[in-house]
Amino acid sequence: SAVISQKPSRDICQRGTSLTIQCQVDSQVTMMFWYRQQPGQSLTLIATANQGSEATYESGFVIDKFPISRPNLTFSTLTVSNMSPEDSSIYLCSVETSGGITYNEQFFGPGTRLTVL
Amino acid sequence: AQSVTQLGSHVSVSEGALVLLRCNYSSSVPPYLFWYVQYPNQGLQLLLKYTTGATLVKGINGFEAEFKKSETSFHLTKPSAHMSDAAEYFCAVSSAGTASKLTFGTGTRLQVTL
């Protein structure tokens, strides 16, 4: 398993500003993921963040809006840029721990609850 | 491509009653299947997973699920509901590979009443 922390846990931001969310893992992991959970909805994958390479974005998400950094094997950041009220969501990071066999099991952080006014 | 369908966005059971949350999947390759639970204002916690082997898998908090390939289903059950089981439950599917991605269902909110 993995213990994941996220900062901030919640924030209220003004339209047009940017927020950077941090994700810290207690062990080295290869793959980290960023998800968005809009109010009352399921999780949608934003991007996969691999150390030493550019993040891979899912359809509908672009780097200019959601830049991601992955400087090492235990840390990643997601920035929500030029925010609008539609960006109000919970943002979660997760990590995959293969345990030596690729089970694709993912462990999730507690999430960052973002409200944009 | 893979997808997950969870039937019933809201399920209400009485305390002590059977819990049954339905999940059907679609996958072109052998799937890995997961159930996650999300308590209010918290992140997701893995309840159980099916990868290979025994089709009946047991998870935490008394939950279990059975992988039925012929029905493309992975329903979650618990014999006796407890008030603390009230939460949002998500079924998810992925498949073997280094670029693994979880595809989530829309979730089922479980309400437990006295």
Side-chain angles (χ1 to χ4, degrees):
Chain A
S1 65
V3 178
I4 306 165
S5 60
Q6 286 184 234
K7 290 182 180 180
S9 58
R10 58 179 60 226
D11 207 342
I12 301 173
C13 300
Q14 295 298 318
R15 181 196 299 263
T17 62
S18 298
L19 176 72
T20 295
I21 302 168
Q22 300 178 5
C23 179
Q24 180 75 52
V25 191
D26 68 341
S27 58
Q28 294 185 338
V29 294
T30 303
M31 301 183 76
M32 297 180 75
F33 304 87
W34 286 98
Y35 289 84
R36 180 175 72 182
Q37 185 179 21
Q38 294 178 299
Q41 298 188 29
S42 187
L43 284 78
T44 302
L45 180 63
I46 297 172
T48 301
N50 294 329
Q51 193 266 338
S53 63
E54 292 283 334
T56 303
Y57 289 82
E58 297 300 303
S59 176
F61 298 96
V62 295
I63 187 171
D64 289 346
K65 177 67 175 178
F66 297 101
I68 288 171
S69 77
R70 181 80 199 274
N72 57 53
L73 293 175
T74 64
F75 187 78
S76 178
T77 67
L78 169 76
T79 299
V80 186
S81 303
N82 188 25
M83 289 184 285
S84 67
E86 292 70 35
D87 295 319
S88 297
S89 296
I90 299 173
Y91 292 86
L92 301 102
C93 72
S94 73
V95 302
E96 183 192 74
T97 59
S98 68
I101 302 174
T102 307
Y103 284 154
N104 307 122
E105 179 173 342
Q106 291 184 25
F107 295 89
F108 285 80
T112 295
R113 185 179 294 272
L114 171 61
T115 301
V116 184
L117 303 178
Chain B
Q2 52 197 25
S3 64
V4 174
T5 302
Q6 290 185 241
L7 294 176
S9 59
H10 290 82
V11 171
S12 181
V13 300
S14 301
E15 190 174 35
L18 171 71
V19 175
L20 171 61
L21 305 182
R22 299 179 185 276
C23 172
N24 288 89
Y25 70 91
S26 172
S27 177
S28 57
V29 297
Y32 294 158
L33 295 159
F34 306 85
W35 275 100
Y36 284 87
V37 60
Q38 185 177 36
Y39 297 102
N41 299 314
Q42 296 187 30
L44 274 72
Q45 180 182 6
L46 181 67
L47 271 179
L48 51 78
K49 64 180 185 284
Y50 168 79
T51 54
T52 59
T55 56
L56 180 64
V57 294
K58 296 183 183 299
I60 61 172
N61 302 337
F63 285 93
E64 61 183 39
E66 186 171 11
F67 169 60
K68 292 187 176 181
K69 183 178 179 180
S70 62
E71 299 177 7
T72 61
S73 69
F74 190 58
H75 301 329
L76 181 70
T77 61
K78 181 175 181 178
S80 177
H82 191 272
M83 296 296 288
S84 61
D85 294 326
E88 187 90 19
Y89 292 80
F90 293 96
C91 182
V93 63
S94 72
S95 56
T98 56
S100 58
K101 301 174 186 177
L102 281 175
T103 300
F104 283 86
T106 51
T108 298
R109 181 167 299 278
L110 176 65
Q111 181 183 19
V112 182
T113 59
L114 290 173

